Amino acid sequence: MKEARTTRQRERHKIYRRVREKIIGLDFSPGSAISENELASALGVSRTPVREAMLLLTEEGLVEVFPKIGTFVSRVDPEQVAEAQFLREAVELASVRSLSAPLDGEKVDFLRENLRRQERVGADIRSFFALDEEFHRGLMALAGHESSWSTVSAAKSHLDRARMLGIRKIPELGRLTEEHRAVFDAVVSGDAATAETHLRSHLRLVFADVKTVEEDTPELFVRDRDARPVRRSAFVWD
């Protein structure tokens, strides 16, 4: 019985992670419908772990369930983006302020290699996003606060989608790599104040990006919190 329960939990979390990745990566567009039956069929599983995964995504605010209408990917909520950004900025800046010499050489090398990989990523947005996450987590690890990254990560699902939407509008990802490098160079030189200034400026760019994207694609964002969706799009799992 216990083994069966553990297997079910693993299956539920595997589905949760796969669907979450597609929502964050915008494969499942904000506002689009999700069919639990079709999702279960596409993944070759029963509907039960799919339903349980949907509950986890609902708790995270990535999915909304409307009785008698259906299950939908939630639209990006600017208020939740702002709240997540506030938390992220507070934690990351505090982490940088806490840096002290000597820095861990292996962790510095990890960040240096991450920057090299960013420079080579080209126009691959998904790969760059993953490297961006890795860089910021690495900065917190350098300061001895990597465990706090999970708290930040869990709170920023709406922020991450807004960032993905914003990154798609940036003609040259190298601009973001240069900002990362400015933070890194200040950190390794022992100039925490300059590192904090660069990091704050870098993190706040998301607001300008979100504003631009929201103006271009308002249908992807929360407008009327009492509005009920109309099921138009067909579910597709690639």
Side-chain angles (χ1 to χ4, degrees):
M1 181 69 71
K2 183 177 179 180
E3 183 178 345
R5 188 184 305 116
T6 300
T7 300
R8 179 174 161 182
Q9 289 174 342
R10 282 200 300 265
E11 190 172 56
R12 175 184 64 198
H13 282 281
K14 181 180 178 180
I15 295 168
Y16 159 77
R17 288 192 298 270
R18 291 185 67 183
V19 176
R20 186 183 190 279
E21 181 180 333
K22 284 188 172 290
I23 292 175
I24 297 296
L26 306 177
D27 293 309
F28 292 171
S29 179
S32 62
I34 295 180
S35 166
E36 292 185 6
N37 286 333
E38 292 178 34
L39 180 57
S41 177
L43 294 175
V45 298
S46 69
R47 188 176 174 184
T48 298
V50 171
R51 187 183 303 114
E52 293 173 348
M54 290 300 106
L55 287 174
L56 293 176
L57 291 164
T58 299
E59 292 173 2
E60 195 173 349
L62 287 174
V63 164
E64 294 179 285
V65 179
F66 295 87
K68 299 182 180 180
I69 299 178
T71 301
F72 295 80
V73 177
S74 64
R75 287 179 167 81
V76 178
D77 187 337
E79 289 185 9
Q80 291 194 44
V81 170
E83 283 297 313
Q85 177 66 18
F86 174 80
L87 173 63
R88 181 181 189 183
E89 184 174 315
V91 172
E92 289 203 47
L93 293 181
S95 182
V96 166
R97 282 195 297 271
S98 72
L99 283 164
S100 60
L103 299 176
D104 185 309
E106 288 188 8
K107 292 176 181 176
V108 169
D109 288 342
F110 174 86
L111 288 169
R112 186 176 287 112
E113 176 58 25
N114 173 277
L115 288 170
R116 292 194 189 103
R117 291 165 64 197
Q118 287 184 40
E119 291 170 347
R120 298 193 298 264
V121 80
D124 186 340
I125 293 173
R126 289 180 184 278
S127 294
F128 182 85
F129 187 87
L131 288 169
D132 178 272
E133 290 283 285
E134 187 179 272
F135 177 81
H136 287 275
R137 186 178 68 248
L139 274 179
M140 294 185 66
L142 185 62
H145 300 296
E146 185 174 11
S147 60
S148 297
W149 179 256
S150 60
T151 301
V152 174
S153 184
K156 65 186 184 72
S157 54
H158 280 265
L159 173 61
D160 284 345
R161 286 195 296 166
R163 288 169 56 218
M164 280 294 291
L165 287 166
I167 288 175
R168 295 199 306 188
K169 295 288 185 179
I170 296 174
E172 178 52 62
L173 295 177
R175 183 195 82 182
L176 299 178
T177 300
E178 290 172 3
E179 293 173 1
H180 288 156
R181 185 168 293 283
V183 174
F184 174 79
D185 289 344
V187 164
V188 296
S189 68
D191 189 348
T194 297
E196 184 179 348
T197 297
H198 285 314
L199 182 58
R200 180 183 292 107
S201 175
H202 170 69
L203 292 175
R204 290 186 178 180
L205 277 175
V206 71
F207 290 118
D209 292 338
V210 169
K211 184 176 181 181
T212 299
V213 174
E214 189 173 2
E215 289 173 351
D216 292 344
T217 53
E219 71 276 6
L220 301 181
F221 291 78
V222 173
R223 291 290 187 178
D224 181 356
R225 296 185 183 279
D226 295 323
R228 295 173 69 79
V230 177
R231 195 181 190 96
R232 294 192 183 94
S233 56
F235 173 80
V236 178
W237 177 280
D238 294 323

